[in-house]
Amino acid sequence: MFGGLLPENVSSFGGDIDSVFRLILYVVGFFFIVAEILLVYFAVHYRRSRSRHAVYSRGEKAREAAWVLVPAAIVLMFDLGIDAAGHRAWALVKQNPPRGEVEVLVTAKQFNWNFTYPDKSGKLDSSNSVTLENELHVPAGKVVRIVLTSEDVIHSFWVPNFRLKQDVVPGRKIVAWFKVARPGTYEIACSELCGFGHYSMRGEVIVHTEAEYARWRAEKSVGGGATR
Ligand SMILES: [Cu+2]
């Protein structure tokens, strides 16, 4: 249904996010079509005509209220259904991040993404840790845990192909994660208007095969255990 409309999903939880998108599209789409059909029907059916005159109706309070309350209750039921489905996806993606097999510190600043890797002894914040600009290298098939922080304003870390979007807030360290099965290069964008260079705040996630990633780590002196 979304073929071609959304960027290809490559992350482990992307399918769950897409099913929430689809559910919302179906529910909202259904009510949109019903409302538009009724709108046109009423406009045509009750148009001004010589043979019929307008009537003054005092109405009945209960019946009038029912016309509002019954549809409101129906819409609320659908809404709760969307909430329940959304909550399942939310819990999976945001609430209990799995233990990371690779950990990277992401520092956003106007208008770059800095990715810091642990040094040989596994420390993320030492003077030997390795920092790359706008390039996030990760292995395929592993849980990658990213810790997001900002040096200046609020940014938002967005990888459309992963269905991952997380605000990056100065003064806070927010954890996010992803797991991607297929090697490839995927675009990172900032999705929070953060200043005049916001449009240029982009980077790339390069998902390597495990062997390639090990080579890359050796080359860059990135530490942190076999994968972490
Ligand atoms: Cu930004």
Side-chain angles (χ1 to χ4, degrees):
M1 167 80 203
F2 280 156
L5 275 182
L6 292 178
E8 190 194 3
N9 162 54
V10 295
S11 84
S12 59
F13 53 65
D16 299 77
I17 304 280
D18 286 355
S19 45
V20 179
F21 282 162
R22 265 195 299 275
L23 179 66
I24 294 171
L25 180 73
Y26 295 152
V27 170
V28 173
F30 171 76
F31 283 106
F32 173 74
I33 290 167
V34 169
E36 293 307 300
I37 289 173
L38 285 177
L39 180 69
V40 171
Y41 172 75
F42 287 143
V44 173
H45 189 77
Y46 293 107
R47 70 188 182 279
R48 200 181 115 152
S49 87
R50 264 176 232 277
S51 56
R52 184 176 51 215
H53 295 285
V55 287
Y56 182 76
S57 162
R58 284 178 188 281
E60 284 172 60
K61 284 225 168 72
R63 277 187 71 181
E64 280 173 6
W67 276 104
V68 174
L69 294 177
V70 172
I74 293 171
V75 170
L76 181 69
M77 262 166 44
F78 279 99
D79 196 25
L80 292 176
I82 290 174
D83 284 350
H87 176 74
R88 272 196 299 278
W90 181 266
L92 174 69
V93 180
K94 303 279 189 186
Q95 272 177 343
N96 305 305
R99 225 178 72 83
E101 295 169 280
V102 174
E103 188 161 323
V104 185
L105 178 67
V106 182
T107 311
K109 61 171 200 206
Q110 291 168 317
F111 298 95
N112 273 320
W113 299 103
N114 283 341
F115 299 106
T116 305
Y117 290 83
D119 66 6
K120 285 280 184 209
S121 63
K123 284 212 189 75
L124 253 180
D125 47 3
S126 83
S127 55
N128 292 327
S129 13
V130 180
T131 297
L132 300 178
E133 219 174 62
N134 299 328
E135 265 180 48
L136 173 59
H137 293 258
V138 297
K142 300 275 174 200
V143 174
V144 179
R145 195 177 128 104
I146 52 177
V147 180
L148 299 140
T149 188
S150 168
E151 277 182 14
D152 37 46
V153 298
I154 299 176
H155 301 273
S156 178
F157 182 84
W158 185 30
V159 186
N161 293 99
F162 297 0
R163 308 295 190 265
L164 171 63
K165 189 186 270 182
Q166 174 60 57
D167 268 11
V168 185
V169 181
R172 285 190 61 187
K173 286 191 167 174
I174 299 173
V175 172
W177 70 280
F178 59 84
K179 185 167 137 185
V180 176
R182 189 144 38 87
T185 300
Y186 306 101
E187 187 182 15
I188 303 167
C190 179
S191 69
E192 184 79 60
L193 183 57
C194 59
F196 67 87
H198 166 66
Y199 72 94
S200 66
M201 192 164 168
R202 61 194 292 240
E204 280 178 340
V205 189
I206 300 116
V207 180
H208 297 280
T209 61
E210 264 196 78
E212 246 174 53
Y213 182 69
R215 255 200 311 279
W216 175 84
R217 271 182 52 206
E219 190 187 303
K220 295 282 177 192
S221 299
V222 165
T227 46
R228 193 219 132 122

